[in-house]
Amino acid sequence: MKGALNLHKIIEAKHEKKWIALSRDKTKIVAFDESLMELKQKIGDQKVVYMKVPSADAYLSF
Amino acid sequence: MAWKEYDYTSRFHRISKTTFYRPLVDIEVSAESGAETVSALIDSGTEVTVMSSEIATLLGISPKGKKSGTVSGFGDKQGFIAQVGIVVPEFPKEVLTTNVIFVDGISSDFPFDILLGQEDFFRRFLIRFEKHRNKFFLSLP
């Protein structure tokens, strides 16, 4: 949708229920892992944004 | 009053083949041992800010000696309470030092990283949602 950040175009099934490290401009996934600590070790000192990807089969309600 | 504009972030729901949009904002979360940038959901239904315990681990925050806390929603989740600093990069002078509940065991069944709640985030920032065009705005009182 115009006007939104369309992350669903770069998030794939393999990323679901995992932590991803996004580039700061949100155009690509730099790395992903089940564990945030393991992901941090992959990323090192790169400037990224961490995000947990929910299952695409679930409705989210908090 | 100057408002900063943000985009809602999409996610695809496979069953309904619907794209949903959520008000996510990047925040820098800091503790004595470091700081990391994490995407956080602005959630007016959440009373206090809640974070995944994995973020506590990443920041070197140990549950040892901390008060316990319970988050209730669909079922109860146990965690611990610790103080962190939160900064929205577009408001670098506004350091929100607050107690958050780090919740365990949410990896698969409760998939969020951070919920920014009423008690701290909504007190500090003015928030305007314009869901009809997938924009939201932050400002300071």
Side-chain angles (χ1 to χ4, degrees):
Chain A
M1 178 177 177
K2 191 177 178 183
L5 178 60
N6 290 309
L7 269 193
H8 70 281
K9 293 182 177 177
I10 61 171
I11 291 176
E12 303 172 33
K14 66 183 180 184
H15 300 128
E16 290 176 31
K17 300 183 181 182
K18 296 184 174 66
W19 289 91
I20 60 173
L22 287 161
S23 59
R24 286 290 177 100
D25 63 3
K26 307 283 181 67
T27 59
K28 64 178 180 180
I29 295 171
V30 180
F32 66 99
D33 201 287
E34 288 187 13
S35 158
L36 182 56
M37 285 299 288
E38 295 290 329
L39 180 57
K40 173 63 181 175
Q41 288 183 1
K42 291 178 183 176
I43 291 300
D45 292 332
Q46 295 179 73
K47 299 293 185 187
V48 296
V49 179
Y50 294 105
M51 173 187 286
K52 186 72 180 286
V53 178
S55 165
D57 292 334
Y59 291 105
L60 300 183
S61 180
F62 303 122
Chain B
M1 180 189 307
W3 290 93
K4 297 285 186 184
E5 180 180 302
Y6 298 84
D7 296 328
Y8 272 64
T9 300
S10 70
R11 81 174 196 96
F12 183 69
H13 186 252
R14 192 162 34 229
I15 307 300
S16 64
K17 301 190 187 311
T18 301
T19 303
F20 293 109
Y21 296 88
R22 300 188 293 160
L24 300 177
V25 63
D26 294 346
I27 60 170
E28 186 176 276
V29 187
S30 61
E32 287 183 10
S33 55
E36 297 291 348
T37 303
V38 186
S39 179
L41 178 69
I42 299 174
D43 184 5
S44 63
T46 295
E47 292 174 343
V48 296
T49 291
V50 181
M51 298 187 183
S52 163
S53 61
E54 289 193 70
I55 295 171
T57 305
L58 185 65
L59 295 174
I61 300 171
S62 167
K64 194 173 182 180
K66 305 289 194 306
K67 287 183 180 177
S68 62
T70 302
V71 175
S72 290
F74 293 101
D76 291 348
K77 296 286 182 184
Q78 298 296 319
F80 67 93
I81 300 168
Q83 190 177 73
V84 298
I86 294 174
V87 172
V88 179
E90 291 76 22
F91 299 87
K93 294 180 180 175
E94 289 295 315
V95 180
L96 181 58
T97 303
T98 186
N99 287 323
V100 306
I101 303 180
F102 289 100
V103 181
D104 299 322
I106 56 175
S107 296
S108 59
D109 58 338
F110 203 54
F112 70 85
D113 29 33
I114 298 176
L115 302 177
L116 297 171
Q118 293 176 21
E119 188 59 24
D120 34 44
F121 196 79
F122 280 73
R123 280 185 188 270
R124 179 65 63 91
F125 289 97
L126 298 174
I127 305 161
R128 194 173 93 221
F129 299 104
E130 295 188 9
K131 178 65 185 71
H132 63 290
R133 61 189 191 104
N134 281 329
K135 299 287 185 187
F136 65 96
F137 301 82
L138 298 180
S139 185
L140 297 170

